[in-house]
Amino acid sequence: MSLPIQTNIAIVGAGPHALTLVTHLLQKREKYRHKITVFDPSGTWMSQWRQQFAAQEIPHLRSPAVHHPDPDPFSLRRFAENRPNELFPPYDLPGTKLFQEFSQDVVSRWQLEDKVYKASVTNIAPITYRGNPQFRVELDDGNSTIAR
Ligand SMILES: Cc1cc2nc3c(=O)[nH]c(=O)nc-3n(C[C@H](O)[C@H](O)[C@H](O)COP(=O)(O)OP(=O)(O)OC[C@H]3O[C@@H](n4cnc5c(N)ncnc54)[C@H](O)[C@@H]3O)c2cc1C
């Protein structure tokens, strides 16, 4: 995505918590879609999560299948309908591959593929912009944007 000069909501990091936040915001207000910018050095969702789960060879999550980035608590269970072996006892803990593919499904269903700007946030500075208190979000690629 290209960097907007100004954004209403800047989200630092594109991990599972950021994805959860974005889907919940959009569920409440679809019009926020164009007011959100997500920053992550990978330029994609869940990159660090994927790498770290793979590096540690983590077989499944610790939380049951209702805890995931989609606002509908049952959507992961539906996604896993034909994959019962990937829900682990005792509380149907989602397997790592299942959770990863489900998260990708969340990204595409909510049309968030192009929401992540590839950069690290290096500083967030309080500023006054057009008379209002806002923030300058500074990036490691030398660019910056104003966030409300
Ligand atoms: C064995 C195991 C099982 C787990 N099971 C669960 C579970 O069932 N449920 C659960 O909720 N959690 C579970 N966790 C923990 C889970 O992995 C973390 O809670 C989750 O990854 C945190 O999500 P996050 O989005 O906050 O952070 P992260 O996944 O760490 O994502 C943060 C992102 O922010 C980016 N970032 C960091 N700094 C900057 C910056 N300055 N500028 C731009 N981007 C930046 C990073 O590159 C990264 O992509 C488990 C962990 C382990 C080890």
Side-chain angles (χ1 to χ4, degrees):
M1 71 173 298
S2 58
L3 184 66
I5 296 166
Q6 200 267 342
T7 186
N8 280 43
I9 301 169
I11 299 178
V12 183
H17 284 140
L19 184 56
T20 308
L21 175 60
V22 170
T23 60
H24 279 76
L25 285 172
L26 291 181
Q27 189 195 37
K28 291 199 187 327
R29 302 250 195 289
E30 171 59 31
K31 64 178 185 191
Y32 281 5
R33 175 172 295 281
H34 303 294
K35 301 183 173 186
I36 297 171
T37 308
V38 185
F39 299 94
D40 195 286
S42 68
T44 61
W45 290 100
M46 304 275 297
S47 167
Q48 181 166 289
W49 186 93
R50 267 199 312 274
Q51 281 166 21
Q52 293 186 343
F53 266 62
Q56 301 293 326
E57 299 178 8
I58 297 170
H60 58 71
L61 281 88
R62 289 188 294 229
S63 312
V66 289
H67 300 290
H68 55 67
D70 192 80
D72 174 358
F74 302 109
S75 57
L76 173 52
R77 213 171 258 290
R78 278 198 303 276
F79 187 80
E81 217 159 47
N82 301 317
R83 302 168 67 167
N85 300 341
E86 293 177 71
L87 293 172
F88 291 77
Y91 304 118
D92 285 348
L93 309 176
T96 298
K97 184 166 182 285
L98 175 69
F99 193 84
Q100 188 182 312
E101 288 171 11
F102 171 74
S103 300
Q104 206 43 57
D105 182 64
V106 171
V107 168
S108 61
R109 267 192 294 111
W110 288 88
Q111 297 171 299
L112 301 173
E113 291 93 340
D114 65 347
K115 273 279 157 229
V116 185
Y117 183 84
K118 184 177 163 61
S120 275
V121 173
T122 52
N123 193 33
I124 299 175
I127 56 162
T128 302
Y129 180 68
R130 294 180 179 163
N132 296 311
Q134 305 219 357
F135 298 92
R136 187 175 57 243
V137 179
E138 299 168 5
L139 307 174
D140 67 347
D141 63 5
N143 292 313
S144 66
T145 188
I146 311 282
R148 189 169 159 201

